[in-house]
Amino acid sequence: MGAGVSSIMGPEGDGGGHETGLGDLPESCVAAVLLHLDPPEICRLARLGRAFRGAASADFVWETKLPRNYRCLMGLVENEKSKKRHLSKKEIFARLCRPNPFDGGTKEFWLEKRRGGLCMSISSKALLITGIDDRRYWNYIPTEESRY
């Protein structure tokens, strides 16, 4: 506790009617802490108060959670409607965390929410096996468990 606390307190140590709390922290300090947290933790802390909510919406906080090639990935995801609207980095992160089909719906990717790793799922229809391209050896049998 330093000079900042002693200046708030009166001469006898009474608070003068003003209590300090988490809401008194500057938004930039809160954002500096949020840089070191996982995205789900950032969203939970955003519920604490106005300073936390503002810091949790800052683009520079979410930019660190996105992969380097997020612009390329957004090119696969975006449609004409979303190209016209400017999305915040938080909205981009949320969109990339959902399954995003591409390549005619035979593949999809998404970001892992905790660490931001890129995950991909490939349909068996998208696979080509080199050397044995004779369809007599391959049968596609759809099942209830199949995702595509």
Side-chain angles (χ1 to χ4, degrees):
M1 312 282 236
V5 172
S6 62
S7 68
I8 293 173
M9 300 298 217
E12 270 61 52
D14 60 348
H18 182 279
E19 282 190 37
T20 58
L22 286 176
D24 295 328
L25 285 171
E27 197 174 293
S28 59
C29 292
V30 175
V33 172
L34 295 182
L35 284 171
H36 302 285
L37 300 177
D38 292 337
E41 293 170 333
I42 293 171
C43 293
R44 277 194 294 271
L45 285 175
R47 294 186 242 156
L48 285 178
R50 191 176 321 139
F52 284 85
R53 191 169 32 261
S57 297
D59 274 351
F60 74 93
V61 171
W62 288 98
E63 180 121 28
T64 62
K65 309 306 176 197
L66 291 168
R68 289 184 185 151
N69 63 343
Y70 78 90
R71 287 183 183 90
C72 178
L73 295 174
M74 282 303 290
L76 295 172
V77 173
E78 287 183 328
N79 55 23
E80 292 303 315
K81 189 185 214 181
S82 65
K83 283 183 182 181
K84 293 177 184 174
R85 186 173 160 252
H86 175 72
L87 299 174
S88 70
K89 302 291 189 230
K90 183 178 179 181
E91 291 171 320
I92 290 172
F93 184 86
R95 179 166 292 177
L96 292 178
C97 283
R98 290 179 287 198
N100 297 291
F102 69 101
D103 200 19
T106 59
K107 301 172 188 159
E108 64 183 21
F109 72 90
W110 63 95
L111 290 182
E112 195 269 325
K113 290 179 185 175
R114 284 227 171 263
R115 304 284 177 226
L118 187 63
C119 303
M120 184 178 283
S121 177
I122 302 173
S123 163
S124 61
K125 292 178 181 179
L127 297 174
L128 295 174
I129 299 178
T130 308
I132 306 175
D133 204 22
D134 190 348
R135 289 288 168 198
R136 293 179 295 170
Y137 299 108
W138 300 104
N139 292 326
Y140 175 73
I141 303 169
T143 65
E144 294 288 325
E145 301 163 347
S146 177
R147 199 165 173 180
Y148 295 95

